[in-house]
Each structure stands twice: as structure tokens, then as C-alpha cells.
Amino acid sequence: RQTVSQVEYVHRLAKIVILAAHHESMIFMGRGAQFLLPPERGVTVRLVAPRKWRIKRLAEQQACSEAHAEEQLDRIDDGRVDFVKRYYHRDVRDSHLYDLVINMEHATSASAAELITHACNLRFQS
């Protein structure tokens, strides 16, 4: 069993993302992919929701208490913030890094997908 360091993981991830993006249109989710590609070649989206809503939803998905879900959510959020700050020197919570921010408390997956598709069409129709 071979393991790689997180630095090596990020280096390999960057190669894969760039290679995949050169071959065809792609959707990348997470891990700071928007910092690896030219901003003019994509649409960056952040999905957000109030903390209380996220805790309740995570507790339902994981069939656990809200207290446990809150602990998990803190670990997840802290990990995301730390990862992007460490490897891309950015604050993932900065709304200026995104073309579109969608509050999922007021959107369904389908309506969010429609908004994202519309943003892509607006950006790339010329």
C-alpha cells in the first residue's frame, strides 16, 4: 500500500484537472479546482446555506443527532477552509471568488442547476 502526501495529492490533482479540462467541457466540484484553471474559461459557483439548515440536513442524511452533525459540519468546513488556504492561498468563503453564489435553503437541486446552466449560457454564448 502506497500513500502520498497531501502536497503530492494536490500536485497530481492539478495535473488531472488541467488535462481533463483540455479534452472536453467538464464540471469540477471542490478541492479548489477553480484556482487551477483560467477564470475566463469557466463559471465558478458556491453553494451556501444557513448553518442551522445545514446541521439539520446533515443530521437527517447521516441519521445522527444534531450535536454530532454540528461537530461533523465544523470539521468539514474547517477542512475546506484550511485546504484552500494552505494550497491556493485564498479564503474559500470570499464571495468575490465566485461568479454565482446560491443559497440552497431557497433552492432545489434542479433550480440550482438551472441557474448554473443559465450563467454558463450567458458567459459563453458569444
Side-chain angles (χ1 to χ4, degrees):
R1 182 176 173 206
Q2 183 181 4
T3 59
V4 295
S5 69
Q6 199 169 37
V7 171
E8 181 63 19
Y9 165 79
V10 172
H11 180 72
R12 290 180 184 185
L13 174 68
K15 284 183 175 182
I16 291 168
V17 166
I18 292 166
L19 183 63
H22 279 290
H23 285 289
E24 61 184 272
S25 295
M26 305 286 296
I27 296 173
F28 297 101
M29 293 177 55
R31 293 295 172 202
Q34 75 264 34
F35 305 119
L36 299 171
L37 300 169
E40 66 277 0
R41 298 293 307 266
V43 174
T44 55
V45 179
R46 179 168 168 81
L47 304 178
V48 299
R51 180 175 172 76
K52 188 174 181 177
W53 184 89
R54 294 174 66 215
I55 291 168
K56 184 176 180 179
R57 184 172 163 120
L58 185 59
E60 291 170 359
Q61 289 174 341
Q62 300 291 319
C64 65
S65 70
E66 287 191 10
H68 182 69
E70 185 172 18
E71 291 172 9
Q72 283 185 298
L73 187 62
D74 288 341
R75 277 194 302 274
I76 292 166
D77 285 348
D78 291 347
R80 288 176 178 159
V81 168
D82 181 60
F83 183 88
V84 170
K85 184 174 278 191
R86 180 178 296 160
Y87 297 105
Y88 304 110
H89 311 290
R90 305 275 174 66
D91 183 351
V92 72
R93 301 164 296 188
D94 180 356
S95 61
H96 295 96
L97 297 175
Y98 305 92
D99 298 306
L100 180 63
V101 178
I102 302 171
N103 184 344
M104 293 304 294
E105 182 183 31
H106 306 296
T108 64
S109 295
S111 64
E114 279 186 47
L115 287 168
I116 295 165
T117 300
H118 186 67
C120 289
N121 289 338
L122 286 173
R123 172 165 268 172
F124 299 112
Q125 64 185 344
S126 56

Short mmCIF file of all heavy atoms in Angstrom, two decimals, residues 31-91:
data_model
loop_
_atom_site.label_atom_id
_atom_site.label_comp_id
_atom_site.label_asym_id
_atom_site.label_seq_id
_atom_site.Cartn_x
_atom_site.Cartn_y
_atom_site.Cartn_z
N ARG A 31 -12.21 21.04 -3.94
CA ARG A 31 -10.75 20.92 -3.93
C ARG A 31 -10.04 22.05 -4.65
O ARG A 31 -8.93 21.90 -5.13
CB ARG A 31 -10.30 19.57 -4.46
CG ARG A 31 -10.68 18.43 -3.58
CD ARG A 31 -9.95 18.56 -2.28
NE ARG A 31 -10.39 17.59 -1.28
CZ ARG A 31 -10.24 17.77 0.00
NH1 ARG A 31 -9.68 18.87 0.46
NH2 ARG A 31 -10.63 16.86 0.86
N GLY A 32 -10.70 23.22 -4.73
CA GLY A 32 -10.05 24.39 -5.29
C GLY A 32 -9.79 24.34 -6.78
O GLY A 32 -8.92 25.04 -7.28
N ALA A 33 -10.55 23.53 -7.49
CA ALA A 33 -10.33 23.39 -8.93
C ALA A 33 -10.41 24.74 -9.64
O ALA A 33 -9.70 24.95 -10.64
CB ALA A 33 -11.32 22.41 -9.54
N GLN A 34 -11.22 25.67 -9.15
CA GLN A 34 -11.35 26.96 -9.82
C GLN A 34 -10.04 27.76 -9.78
O GLN A 34 -9.85 28.66 -10.58
CB GLN A 34 -12.50 27.79 -9.23
CG GLN A 34 -12.21 28.43 -7.88
CD GLN A 34 -12.71 27.62 -6.72
OE1 GLN A 34 -12.70 26.40 -6.74
NE2 GLN A 34 -13.14 28.30 -5.67
N PHE A 35 -9.13 27.40 -8.89
CA PHE A 35 -7.86 28.11 -8.82
C PHE A 35 -6.81 27.50 -9.75
O PHE A 35 -5.72 28.04 -9.91
CB PHE A 35 -7.33 28.12 -7.39
CG PHE A 35 -8.33 28.67 -6.42
CD1 PHE A 35 -8.81 27.90 -5.38
CD2 PHE A 35 -8.82 29.97 -6.56
CE1 PHE A 35 -9.74 28.41 -4.49
CE2 PHE A 35 -9.76 30.48 -5.68
CZ PHE A 35 -10.21 29.70 -4.64
N LEU A 36 -7.14 26.39 -10.37
CA LEU A 36 -6.21 25.71 -11.27
C LEU A 36 -6.44 26.06 -12.73
O LEU A 36 -5.57 25.83 -13.57
CB LEU A 36 -6.35 24.19 -11.10
CG LEU A 36 -6.04 23.64 -9.72
CD1 LEU A 36 -6.43 22.18 -9.63
CD2 LEU A 36 -4.58 23.86 -9.37
N LEU A 37 -7.61 26.58 -13.03
CA LEU A 37 -8.00 26.83 -14.42
C LEU A 37 -8.16 28.33 -14.66
O LEU A 37 -8.49 29.08 -13.74
CB LEU A 37 -9.31 26.11 -14.72
CG LEU A 37 -9.26 24.59 -14.54
CD1 LEU A 37 -10.65 24.00 -14.60
CD2 LEU A 37 -8.36 23.97 -15.59
N PRO A 38 -7.99 28.77 -15.90
CA PRO A 38 -8.17 30.20 -16.20
C PRO A 38 -9.62 30.63 -15.92
O PRO A 38 -10.56 29.97 -16.37
CB PRO A 38 -7.87 30.29 -17.70
CG PRO A 38 -7.21 29.02 -18.08
CD PRO A 38 -7.62 28.00 -17.08
N PRO A 39 -9.82 31.72 -15.20
CA PRO A 39 -11.17 32.15 -14.84
C PRO A 39 -12.07 32.44 -16.04
O PRO A 39 -13.28 32.24 -15.97
CB PRO A 39 -10.97 33.41 -14.00
CG PRO A 39 -9.53 33.71 -14.01
CD PRO A 39 -8.79 32.60 -14.66
N GLU A 40 -11.49 32.87 -17.14
CA GLU A 40 -12.30 33.19 -18.32
C GLU A 40 -12.81 31.93 -19.02
O GLU A 40 -13.62 32.02 -19.93
CB GLU A 40 -11.52 34.06 -19.30
CG GLU A 40 -10.33 33.40 -19.94
CD GLU A 40 -9.05 33.43 -19.09
OE1 GLU A 40 -9.07 33.97 -17.97
OE2 GLU A 40 -8.04 32.89 -19.56
N ARG A 41 -12.38 30.77 -18.61
CA ARG A 41 -12.78 29.53 -19.27
C ARG A 41 -13.87 28.77 -18.52
O ARG A 41 -14.24 27.68 -18.91
CB ARG A 41 -11.56 28.61 -19.42
CG ARG A 41 -10.43 29.15 -20.27
CD ARG A 41 -10.78 29.31 -21.73
NE ARG A 41 -11.31 28.11 -22.33
CZ ARG A 41 -10.61 27.21 -22.98
NH1 ARG A 41 -9.32 27.39 -23.15
NH2 ARG A 41 -11.18 26.15 -23.50
N GLY A 42 -14.38 29.36 -17.42
CA GLY A 42 -15.40 28.64 -16.66
C GLY A 42 -16.29 29.57 -15.87
O GLY A 42 -16.15 30.79 -15.91
N VAL A 43 -17.21 28.97 -15.16
CA VAL A 43 -18.11 29.68 -14.25
C VAL A 43 -17.90 29.06 -12.86
O VAL A 43 -17.99 27.85 -12.70
CB VAL A 43 -19.58 29.53 -14.68
CG1 VAL A 43 -20.52 30.15 -13.66
CG2 VAL A 43 -19.80 30.16 -16.05
N THR A 44 -17.59 29.91 -11.91
CA THR A 44 -17.36 29.42 -10.55
C THR A 44 -18.61 29.66 -9.72
O THR A 44 -19.20 30.74 -9.75
CB THR A 44 -16.15 30.10 -9.90
OG1 THR A 44 -16.34 31.52 -9.93
CG2 THR A 44 -14.86 29.74 -10.62
N VAL A 45 -19.01 28.62 -8.99
CA VAL A 45 -20.26 28.65 -8.23
C VAL A 45 -19.98 28.21 -6.80
O VAL A 45 -19.22 27.27 -6.57
CB VAL A 45 -21.30 27.70 -8.86
CG1 VAL A 45 -22.60 27.71 -8.07
CG2 VAL A 45 -21.55 28.08 -10.31
N ARG A 46 -20.61 28.87 -5.86
CA ARG A 46 -20.55 28.46 -4.45
C ARG A 46 -21.97 28.23 -3.98
O ARG A 46 -22.84 29.09 -4.17
CB ARG A 46 -19.88 29.52 -3.60
CG ARG A 46 -19.82 29.16 -2.11
CD ARG A 46 -18.88 30.11 -1.38
NE ARG A 46 -18.96 30.02 0.05
CZ ARG A 46 -18.35 29.09 0.80
NH1 ARG A 46 -17.62 28.17 0.23
NH2 ARG A 46 -18.49 29.11 2.11
N LEU A 47 -22.20 27.06 -3.39
CA LEU A 47 -23.50 26.75 -2.80
C LEU A 47 -23.38 26.99 -1.30
O LEU A 47 -22.46 26.48 -0.66
CB LEU A 47 -23.88 25.30 -3.08
CG LEU A 47 -23.90 24.89 -4.55
CD1 LEU A 47 -24.24 23.41 -4.69
CD2 LEU A 47 -24.87 25.74 -5.34
N VAL A 48 -24.31 27.76 -0.76
CA VAL A 48 -24.29 28.10 0.66
C VAL A 48 -25.67 27.81 1.25
O VAL A 48 -26.64 27.61 0.52
CB VAL A 48 -23.92 29.59 0.89
CG1 VAL A 48 -22.53 29.89 0.36
CG2 VAL A 48 -24.95 30.52 0.27
N ALA A 49 -25.73 27.83 2.57
CA ALA A 49 -26.99 27.71 3.30
C ALA A 49 -26.71 28.09 4.75
O ALA A 49 -25.57 27.97 5.21
CB ALA A 49 -27.55 26.29 3.22
N PRO A 50 -27.74 28.53 5.46
CA PRO A 50 -27.55 28.87 6.87
C PRO A 50 -27.06 27.65 7.67
O PRO A 50 -27.42 26.50 7.38
CB PRO A 50 -28.94 29.29 7.33
CG PRO A 50 -29.66 29.69 6.09
CD PRO A 50 -29.11 28.81 5.01
N ARG A 51 -26.24 27.91 8.65
CA ARG A 51 -25.64 26.85 9.47
C ARG A 51 -26.70 25.92 10.06
O ARG A 51 -26.57 24.70 10.00
CB ARG A 51 -24.80 27.50 10.56
CG ARG A 51 -24.11 26.52 11.48
CD ARG A 51 -23.21 27.28 12.46
NE ARG A 51 -22.69 26.39 13.47
CZ ARG A 51 -21.72 25.51 13.29
NH1 ARG A 51 -21.14 25.42 12.11
NH2 ARG A 51 -21.31 24.74 14.27
N LYS A 52 -27.75 26.50 10.63
CA LYS A 52 -28.80 25.69 11.26
C LYS A 52 -29.44 24.73 10.25
O LYS A 52 -29.70 23.56 10.55
CB LYS A 52 -29.85 26.62 11.88
CG LYS A 52 -30.89 25.92 12.71
CD LYS A 52 -31.80 26.94 13.39
CE LYS A 52 -32.81 26.23 14.26
NZ LYS A 52 -33.66 27.18 14.97
N TRP A 53 -29.70 25.22 9.06
CA TRP A 53 -30.28 24.40 7.99
C TRP A 53 -29.34 23.26 7.61
O TRP A 53 -29.75 22.13 7.42
CB TRP A 53 -30.57 25.29 6.78
CG TRP A 53 -31.26 24.62 5.63
CD1 TRP A 53 -32.61 24.50 5.44
CD2 TRP A 53 -30.64 24.01 4.49
NE1 TRP A 53 -32.86 23.86 4.25
CE2 TRP A 53 -31.67 23.54 3.66
CE3 TRP A 53 -29.32 23.81 4.10
CZ2 TRP A 53 -31.42 22.88 2.45
CZ3 TRP A 53 -29.06 23.16 2.91
CH2 TRP A 53 -30.11 22.71 2.10
N ARG A 54 -28.04 23.59 7.50
CA ARG A 54 -27.05 22.58 7.12
C ARG A 54 -26.91 21.50 8.19
O ARG A 54 -26.76 20.32 7.88
CB ARG A 54 -25.69 23.25 6.86
CG ARG A 54 -25.73 24.17 5.65
CD ARG A 54 -24.43 24.93 5.48
NE ARG A 54 -23.36 24.00 5.16
CZ ARG A 54 -22.11 24.15 5.57
NH1 ARG A 54 -21.77 25.19 6.31
NH2 ARG A 54 -21.19 23.27 5.23
N ILE A 55 -26.94 21.90 9.44
CA ILE A 55 -26.84 20.93 10.54
C ILE A 55 -28.03 19.98 10.51
O ILE A 55 -27.87 18.75 10.59
CB ILE A 55 -26.75 21.65 11.91
CG1 ILE A 55 -25.41 22.37 12.03
CG2 ILE A 55 -26.95 20.67 13.06
CD1 ILE A 55 -25.33 23.34 13.19
N LYS A 56 -29.23 20.52 10.38
CA LYS A 56 -30.43 19.69 10.35
C LYS A 56 -30.40 18.72 9.17
O LYS A 56 -30.69 17.54 9.30
CB LYS A 56 -31.67 20.58 10.27
CG LYS A 56 -32.96 19.81 10.32
CD LYS A 56 -34.16 20.73 10.32
CE LYS A 56 -35.42 19.89 10.37
NZ LYS A 56 -36.62 20.70 10.40
N ARG A 57 -30.00 19.22 8.02
CA ARG A 57 -29.95 18.37 6.82
C ARG A 57 -28.89 17.27 6.97
O ARG A 57 -29.13 16.12 6.62
CB ARG A 57 -29.65 19.24 5.60
CG ARG A 57 -29.68 18.45 4.32
CD ARG A 57 -29.57 19.38 3.14
NE ARG A 57 -29.19 18.63 1.97
CZ ARG A 57 -29.91 18.55 0.88
NH1 ARG A 57 -31.04 19.22 0.80
NH2 ARG A 57 -29.51 17.85 -0.15
N LEU A 58 -27.73 17.61 7.51
CA LEU A 58 -26.68 16.62 7.71
C LEU A 58 -27.11 15.56 8.72
O LEU A 58 -26.86 14.37 8.53
CB LEU A 58 -25.38 17.30 8.15
CG LEU A 58 -24.15 16.41 8.30
CD1 LEU A 58 -23.80 15.72 6.97
CD2 LEU A 58 -22.95 17.22 8.79
N ALA A 59 -27.79 15.98 9.78
CA ALA A 59 -28.28 15.03 10.79
C ALA A 59 -29.27 14.05 10.16
O ALA A 59 -29.23 12.84 10.45
CB ALA A 59 -28.93 15.78 11.95
N GLU A 60 -30.13 14.55 9.29
CA GLU A 60 -31.09 13.68 8.60
C GLU A 60 -30.37 12.72 7.65
O GLU A 60 -30.68 11.54 7.61
CB GLU A 60 -32.11 14.53 7.82
CG GLU A 60 -33.06 15.29 8.71
CD GLU A 60 -33.90 16.31 7.94
OE1 GLU A 60 -33.74 16.45 6.69
OE2 GLU A 60 -34.71 17.00 8.59
N GLN A 61 -29.42 13.22 6.89
CA GLN A 61 -28.69 12.38 5.93
C GLN A 61 -27.86 11.30 6.63
O GLN A 61 -27.77 10.18 6.14
CB GLN A 61 -27.76 13.24 5.07
CG GLN A 61 -28.48 14.10 4.08
CD GLN A 61 -27.52 15.04 3.35
OE1 GLN A 61 -26.40 15.30 3.77
NE2 GLN A 61 -27.99 15.57 2.22
N GLN A 62 -27.26 11.66 7.75
CA GLN A 62 -26.39 10.72 8.46
C GLN A 62 -27.11 9.93 9.54
O GLN A 62 -26.50 9.10 10.20
CB GLN A 62 -25.22 11.49 9.10
CG GLN A 62 -24.36 12.24 8.12
CD GLN A 62 -23.56 11.31 7.24
OE1 GLN A 62 -23.03 10.32 7.70
NE2 GLN A 62 -23.48 11.63 5.95
N ALA A 63 -28.39 10.22 9.73
CA ALA A 63 -29.18 9.57 10.80
C ALA A 63 -28.45 9.67 12.14
O ALA A 63 -28.22 8.67 12.83
CB ALA A 63 -29.50 8.12 10.44
N CYS A 64 -28.10 10.90 12.49
CA CYS A 64 -27.39 11.13 13.76
C CYS A 64 -28.01 12.34 14.46
O CYS A 64 -28.89 13.01 13.91
CB CYS A 64 -25.90 11.36 13.49
SG CYS A 64 -25.51 12.86 12.55
N SER A 65 -27.55 12.60 15.66
CA SER A 65 -28.06 13.74 16.41
C SER A 65 -27.58 15.04 15.77
O SER A 65 -26.56 15.06 15.07
CB SER A 65 -27.59 13.68 17.86
OG SER A 65 -26.19 13.93 17.92
N GLU A 66 -28.28 16.11 16.05
CA GLU A 66 -27.85 17.41 15.53
C GLU A 66 -26.53 17.83 16.15
O GLU A 66 -25.72 18.48 15.49
CB GLU A 66 -28.95 18.46 15.73
CG GLU A 66 -30.12 18.26 14.79
CD GLU A 66 -31.09 19.42 14.76
OE1 GLU A 66 -30.81 20.50 15.31
OE2 GLU A 66 -32.17 19.24 14.14
N ALA A 67 -26.28 17.43 17.40
CA ALA A 67 -25.00 17.76 18.04
C ALA A 67 -23.84 17.09 17.30
O ALA A 67 -22.81 17.71 17.04
CB ALA A 67 -25.01 17.33 19.50
N HIS A 68 -24.03 15.82 16.94
CA HIS A 68 -22.99 15.11 16.19
C HIS A 68 -22.84 15.71 14.79
O HIS A 68 -21.72 15.88 14.30
CB HIS A 68 -23.32 13.62 16.10
CG HIS A 68 -22.28 12.82 15.39
ND1 HIS A 68 -21.03 12.59 15.91
CD2 HIS A 68 -22.29 12.23 14.17
CE1 HIS A 68 -20.31 11.88 15.05
NE2 HIS A 68 -21.06 11.65 13.98
N ALA A 69 -23.94 16.05 14.16
CA ALA A 69 -23.90 16.66 12.83
C ALA A 69 -23.17 18.00 12.88
O ALA A 69 -22.40 18.32 11.97
CB ALA A 69 -25.32 16.85 12.29
N GLU A 70 -23.39 18.75 13.94
CA GLU A 70 -22.72 20.04 14.09
C GLU A 70 -21.20 19.85 14.19
O GLU A 70 -20.43 20.58 13.56
CB GLU A 70 -23.23 20.77 15.33
CG GLU A 70 -22.67 22.16 15.50
CD GLU A 70 -23.33 22.93 16.62
OE1 GLU A 70 -23.98 22.32 17.49
OE2 GLU A 70 -23.19 24.17 16.62
N GLU A 71 -20.75 18.84 14.93
CA GLU A 71 -19.32 18.55 15.04
C GLU A 71 -18.75 18.16 13.67
O GLU A 71 -17.67 18.61 13.28
CB GLU A 71 -19.08 17.42 16.04
CG GLU A 71 -19.35 17.80 17.47
CD GLU A 71 -19.27 16.61 18.42
OE1 GLU A 71 -18.83 15.51 17.99
OE2 GLU A 71 -19.65 16.78 19.59
N GLN A 72 -19.49 17.31 12.95
CA GLN A 72 -19.05 16.90 11.62
C GLN A 72 -18.96 18.09 10.68
O GLN A 72 -18.00 18.23 9.93
CB GLN A 72 -20.02 15.87 11.03
CG GLN A 72 -19.88 14.48 11.58
CD GLN A 72 -20.80 13.55 10.82
OE1 GLN A 72 -22.01 13.70 10.84
NE2 GLN A 72 -20.21 12.58 10.13
N LEU A 73 -19.98 18.94 10.73
CA LEU A 73 -20.02 20.12 9.86
C LEU A 73 -18.83 21.04 10.14
O LEU A 73 -18.20 21.54 9.20
CB LEU A 73 -21.34 20.87 10.04
CG LEU A 73 -21.60 22.01 9.09
CD1 LEU A 73 -21.69 21.52 7.65
CD2 LEU A 73 -22.87 22.74 9.47
N ASP A 74 -18.51 21.22 11.40
CA ASP A 74 -17.35 22.05 11.75
C ASP A 74 -16.06 21.47 11.19
O ASP A 74 -15.23 22.20 10.65
CB ASP A 74 -17.24 22.21 13.27
CG ASP A 74 -18.31 23.11 13.86
OD1 ASP A 74 -18.91 23.90 13.10
OD2 ASP A 74 -18.54 23.02 15.08
N ARG A 75 -15.90 20.16 11.29
CA ARG A 75 -14.70 19.51 10.74
C ARG A 75 -14.64 19.66 9.22
O ARG A 75 -13.59 19.95 8.65
CB ARG A 75 -14.66 18.03 11.13
CG ARG A 75 -14.12 17.76 12.51
CD ARG A 75 -13.78 16.30 12.71
NE ARG A 75 -14.92 15.40 12.50
CZ ARG A 75 -15.81 15.09 13.43
NH1 ARG A 75 -15.71 15.59 14.64
NH2 ARG A 75 -16.80 14.27 13.17
N ILE A 76 -15.77 19.45 8.58
CA ILE A 76 -15.83 19.57 7.11
C ILE A 76 -15.50 21.00 6.68
O ILE A 76 -14.65 21.22 5.81
CB ILE A 76 -17.22 19.16 6.59
CG1 ILE A 76 -17.43 17.66 6.78
CG2 ILE A 76 -17.39 19.55 5.12
CD1 ILE A 76 -18.88 17.22 6.61
N ASP A 77 -16.17 21.97 7.29
CA ASP A 77 -15.95 23.37 6.91
C ASP A 77 -14.51 23.80 7.19
O ASP A 77 -13.87 24.45 6.36
CB ASP A 77 -16.92 24.29 7.64
CG ASP A 77 -18.33 24.22 7.09
OD1 ASP A 77 -18.53 23.65 6.00
OD2 ASP A 77 -19.24 24.76 7.75
N ASP A 78 -14.00 23.45 8.37
CA ASP A 78 -12.63 23.82 8.72
C ASP A 78 -11.64 23.18 7.75
O ASP A 78 -10.66 23.80 7.34
CB ASP A 78 -12.29 23.41 10.15
CG ASP A 78 -13.04 24.23 11.20
OD1 ASP A 78 -13.63 25.28 10.85
OD2 ASP A 78 -13.04 23.81 12.38
N GLY A 79 -11.89 21.94 7.38
CA GLY A 79 -11.02 21.24 6.44
C GLY A 79 -11.00 21.90 5.08
O GLY A 79 -9.94 22.04 4.46
N ARG A 80 -12.16 22.33 4.62
CA ARG A 80 -12.25 23.00 3.31
C ARG A 80 -11.52 24.34 3.33
O ARG A 80 -10.76 24.67 2.42
CB ARG A 80 -13.71 23.22 2.92
CG ARG A 80 -14.40 21.95 2.51
CD ARG A 80 -15.87 22.19 2.23
NE ARG A 80 -16.50 20.95 1.79
CZ ARG A 80 -17.79 20.73 1.85
NH1 ARG A 80 -18.62 21.66 2.31
NH2 ARG A 80 -18.28 19.58 1.43
N VAL A 81 -11.76 25.11 4.39
CA VAL A 81 -11.11 26.41 4.52
C VAL A 81 -9.59 26.23 4.59
O VAL A 81 -8.84 26.92 3.89
CB VAL A 81 -11.63 27.17 5.76
CG1 VAL A 81 -10.77 28.39 6.06
CG2 VAL A 81 -13.09 27.58 5.56
N ASP A 82 -9.15 25.29 5.40
CA ASP A 82 -7.72 25.05 5.58
C ASP A 82 -7.06 24.58 4.28
O ASP A 82 -5.98 25.04 3.92
CB ASP A 82 -7.49 24.02 6.69
CG ASP A 82 -6.02 23.76 6.93
OD1 ASP A 82 -5.28 24.72 7.26
OD2 ASP A 82 -5.60 22.59 6.78
N PHE A 83 -7.70 23.66 3.58
CA PHE A 83 -7.15 23.12 2.34
C PHE A 83 -6.91 24.23 1.32
O PHE A 83 -5.82 24.35 0.75
CB PHE A 83 -8.08 22.05 1.77
CG PHE A 83 -7.56 21.38 0.54
CD1 PHE A 83 -6.74 20.27 0.63
CD2 PHE A 83 -7.89 21.85 -0.73
CE1 PHE A 83 -6.24 19.65 -0.51
CE2 PHE A 83 -7.41 21.24 -1.87
CZ PHE A 83 -6.58 20.13 -1.75
N VAL A 84 -7.93 25.04 1.08
CA VAL A 84 -7.82 26.10 0.07
C VAL A 84 -6.81 27.16 0.51
O VAL A 84 -6.02 27.65 -0.29
CB VAL A 84 -9.20 26.71 -0.23
CG1 VAL A 84 -9.09 27.97 -1.08
CG2 VAL A 84 -10.09 25.68 -0.92
N LYS A 85 -6.81 27.49 1.79
CA LYS A 85 -5.86 28.48 2.29
C LYS A 85 -4.43 27.97 2.17
O LYS A 85 -3.52 28.68 1.72
CB LYS A 85 -6.15 28.83 3.74
CG LYS A 85 -5.25 29.93 4.29
CD LYS A 85 -5.66 30.35 5.67
CE LYS A 85 -6.81 31.31 5.50
NZ LYS A 85 -7.19 32.02 6.71
N ARG A 86 -4.21 26.72 2.52
CA ARG A 86 -2.86 26.14 2.51
C ARG A 86 -2.30 26.01 1.10
O ARG A 86 -1.14 26.34 0.86
CB ARG A 86 -2.88 24.77 3.17
CG ARG A 86 -1.50 24.11 3.18
CD ARG A 86 -1.52 22.79 3.89
NE ARG A 86 -1.85 23.02 5.29
CZ ARG A 86 -2.32 22.08 6.10
NH1 ARG A 86 -2.51 20.86 5.66
NH2 ARG A 86 -2.59 22.36 7.35
N TYR A 87 -3.11 25.53 0.16
CA TYR A 87 -2.58 25.22 -1.17
C TYR A 87 -2.83 26.27 -2.23
O TYR A 87 -2.13 26.31 -3.24
CB TYR A 87 -3.08 23.84 -1.63
CG TYR A 87 -2.56 22.78 -0.70
CD1 TYR A 87 -3.39 22.18 0.22
CD2 TYR A 87 -1.22 22.42 -0.73
CE1 TYR A 87 -2.90 21.23 1.10
CE2 TYR A 87 -0.72 21.48 0.15
CZ TYR A 87 -1.56 20.88 1.06
OH TYR A 87 -1.07 19.96 1.95
N TYR A 88 -3.84 27.12 -2.03
CA TYR A 88 -4.15 28.13 -3.04
C TYR A 88 -4.08 29.55 -2.49
O TYR A 88 -4.30 30.50 -3.24
CB TYR A 88 -5.53 27.87 -3.65
CG TYR A 88 -5.64 26.48 -4.23
CD1 TYR A 88 -6.44 25.52 -3.63
CD2 TYR A 88 -4.94 26.12 -5.38
CE1 TYR A 88 -6.55 24.24 -4.16
CE2 TYR A 88 -5.03 24.85 -5.90
CZ TYR A 88 -5.84 23.91 -5.28
OH TYR A 88 -5.93 22.64 -5.79
N HIS A 89 -3.82 29.68 -1.20
CA HIS A 89 -3.65 30.98 -0.54
C HIS A 89 -4.86 31.89 -0.75
O HIS A 89 -4.72 33.09 -1.01
CB HIS A 89 -2.36 31.66 -1.01
CG HIS A 89 -1.19 30.75 -0.94
ND1 HIS A 89 -0.64 30.35 0.26
CD2 HIS A 89 -0.48 30.12 -1.91
CE1 HIS A 89 0.36 29.52 0.03
NE2 HIS A 89 0.47 29.35 -1.29
N ARG A 90 -6.03 31.30 -0.66
CA ARG A 90 -7.29 32.03 -0.81
C ARG A 90 -8.23 31.65 0.32
O ARG A 90 -8.08 30.62 0.96
CB ARG A 90 -7.97 31.68 -2.13
CG ARG A 90 -7.13 31.88 -3.36
CD ARG A 90 -7.21 33.32 -3.83
NE ARG A 90 -6.34 33.66 -4.92
CZ ARG A 90 -6.40 33.22 -6.15
NH1 ARG A 90 -7.31 32.35 -6.51
NH2 ARG A 90 -5.55 33.64 -7.06
N ASP A 91 -9.24 32.48 0.53
CA ASP A 91 -10.28 32.19 1.51
C ASP A 91 -11.52 31.73 0.74
O ASP A 91 -12.18 32.53 0.09
CB ASP A 91 -10.60 33.43 2.35
CG ASP A 91 -11.62 33.16 3.45
OD1 ASP A 91 -12.23 32.06 3.48
OD2 ASP A 91 -11.82 34.05 4.29
#
